[in-house]
Amino acid sequence: MILTTTNNIEGFKITEYKGIVTGTSSELKTKFSFKNDKNMQIIEDLMNEAKEQAFQKLQTNANNLKANAVVGISVDIETVSGSYFFVSVTGTAVSVV
């Protein structure tokens, strides 16, 4: 599956717009100091895991619509009280040739 933040894919033609798809994920962490490099790595790993899960859900939702690409992807990452990470990935599922 082709995933892109652009509205078209160079070398491909969009033949059908299937609909808007999303993938969401959240991760919980315990509170700890941001001053420690090891803790910063843990936070980065948690954010990357949440982002990967959201992208996997986005692809699954696009596959369910029989799409072979998602264009115009936007990623939103939010945190609440430094304990929860929420990731939302949204794009348009399309068929390309």
Side-chain angles (χ1 to χ4, degrees):
M1 171 147 325
I2 300 170
L3 304 174
T4 182
T5 58
T6 61
N7 292 324
N8 54 39
I9 305 165
E10 189 174 330
F12 291 85
K13 179 181 178 184
I14 295 174
T15 59
E16 186 178 1
Y17 289 86
K18 303 287 191 169
I20 295 172
V21 288
T22 15
T24 58
S25 178
S26 61
E27 291 289 327
L28 170 66
K29 70 168 186 65
T30 57
K31 292 189 178 211
F32 41 75
S33 171
F34 285 94
K35 295 177 183 177
N36 182 318
D37 286 342
K38 182 178 179 182
N39 290 340
M40 289 300 291
Q41 185 61 50
I42 292 169
I43 293 168
E44 184 178 333
D45 292 345
L46 284 169
M47 288 177 64
N48 286 334
E49 178 63 27
K51 188 172 69 171
E52 180 61 31
Q53 288 177 11
F55 269 98
Q56 290 299 321
K57 290 177 182 178
L58 176 88
Q59 288 184 64
T60 298
N61 292 333
N63 279 328
N64 290 341
L65 294 175
K66 308 290 188 241
N68 61 355
V70 180
V71 297
I73 293 175
S74 66
V75 178
D76 182 39
I77 300 174
E78 296 185 24
T79 185
V80 175
S81 301
S83 296
Y84 292 95
F85 292 99
F86 298 96
V87 179
S88 175
V89 183
T90 305
T92 303
V94 297
S95 290
V96 297
V97 291

